[in-house]
Amino acid sequence: MAEQPIDNKLGTILKDLLNERSLSIRKLDQLTGIDAATISRIINGKRKATPAHLQRLAECLDVPVSRLFAAAGYPASSGQSELNSSIANIEEVLQSTHSYDQNFSMGSMQEKLSQYEQFSLTDEGRQTILQKFIGKLQEVGSSGPFIQQLKEMYDRFRLKRGTALELAIIGSALIYFILPTDCIPDFVFPIGYIDDAVAVNFVFNTRLVRPRENKD
């Protein structure tokens, strides 16, 4: 059965951006880590771009990610609604318990993740992840999407499955999880680990392109 084309508004925008920047699909493949065949299918309306695809494309093409989300047919807040809800819950708990006198925001979390990206590429950062991740995971003693995402990212980091940029992004989330003194220290009850989950979810679902795809 023939494939049903997806609304191609996103494809038109991507074609125009590639022309404006004198980039080929192959070059975009190299810059984003998204397989050229996948990019071609997105541009031609034969598959729907994921939020992770859109985030990486927006970064490499230097356009607002909201523009690509809208063109791809996602709601304006798609990819961020759960994060924003979690952040609002964190702030509400902080205010109600008076357990921590610092503000928490997406900006502060992203700034911390950016710092950890650089650290994760150093020998010290890599050893911190390899030596302390399993122990921290046992300490948390949980299961579910947050932990599963962490395990997947740890395996990719440990086996070096990805570009230097991808491994740095993964490493930033792992270090955020491992270190007890991130935006909200782990000893702050009951939310010391909630911001870890938000950081991991942010990296996993909006910044990280899954292992390279050659076909649907």
Side-chain angles (χ1 to χ4, degrees):
M1 180 181 294
E3 294 178 293
Q4 295 298 316
I6 298 169
D7 181 17
N8 209 24
K9 186 182 298 184
L10 175 63
T12 299
I13 290 175
L14 292 176
K15 286 179 183 177
D16 290 343
L17 290 170
L18 288 175
N19 288 332
E20 290 172 9
R21 289 155 176 73
S22 299
L23 291 174
S24 65
I25 289 177
R26 180 60 60 187
K27 182 63 176 178
L28 194 58
D29 168 332
Q30 297 170 2
L31 293 173
T32 62
I34 306 171
D35 189 82
T38 298
I39 296 174
S40 178
R41 293 171 70 78
I42 290 171
I43 288 176
N44 291 315
K46 294 182 178 179
R47 70 160 296 167
K48 189 173 180 67
T50 66
H53 289 146
L54 297 174
Q55 180 74 29
R56 189 62 61 83
L57 289 167
E59 290 176 359
C60 290
L61 295 172
D62 192 27
V63 295
V65 70
S66 58
R67 179 184 178 192
L68 300 189
F69 268 87
Y74 289 100
S77 61
S78 182
Q80 297 296 324
S81 59
E82 291 185 7
L83 291 174
N84 292 338
S85 177
S86 297
I87 289 170
N89 290 337
I90 290 174
E91 292 174 340
E92 182 178 349
V93 173
L94 284 175
Q95 292 171 5
S96 64
T97 63
H98 305 289
S99 56
Y100 190 56
D101 62 2
Q102 302 296 318
N103 293 326
F104 177 83
S105 68
M106 176 66 81
S108 63
M109 185 191 74
Q110 288 180 277
E111 182 178 353
K112 186 71 72 172
L113 286 169
S114 179
Q115 295 171 5
Y116 289 163
E117 280 187 27
Q118 302 303 315
F119 180 55
S120 71
L121 294 177
T122 66
D123 289 338
E124 181 183 359
R126 180 170 176 80
Q127 288 307 310
T128 296
I129 293 170
L130 297 180
Q131 294 175 8
K132 297 184 177 182
F133 175 78
I134 299 300
K136 187 61 178 282
L137 199 64
Q138 293 172 342
E139 178 184 322
V140 173
S142 304
S143 61
F146 161 49
I147 299 300
Q148 185 57 40
Q149 289 167 351
L150 274 170
K151 290 177 179 177
E152 290 181 29
M153 288 193 286
Y154 176 70
D155 284 341
R156 284 187 66 179
F157 185 88
R158 177 175 59 85
L159 298 172
K160 298 183 178 180
R161 292 177 179 164
T163 65
L165 175 60
E166 289 168 340
L167 294 177
I169 291 171
I170 291 170
S172 70
L174 295 175
I175 290 173
Y176 194 104
F177 168 69
I178 290 168
L179 297 183
T181 53
D182 40 49
C183 288
I184 302 178
D186 293 346
F187 60 77
V188 178
F189 182 83
I191 57 173
Y193 288 109
I194 297 179
D195 69 313
D196 293 349
V198 173
V200 170
N201 186 45
F202 170 73
V203 168
F204 192 85
N205 289 311
T206 67
R207 292 212 65 201
L208 188 60
V209 174
R210 303 299 179 267
R212 296 171 68 85
E213 304 166 81
N214 292 306
K215 59 181 180 179
D216 285 338

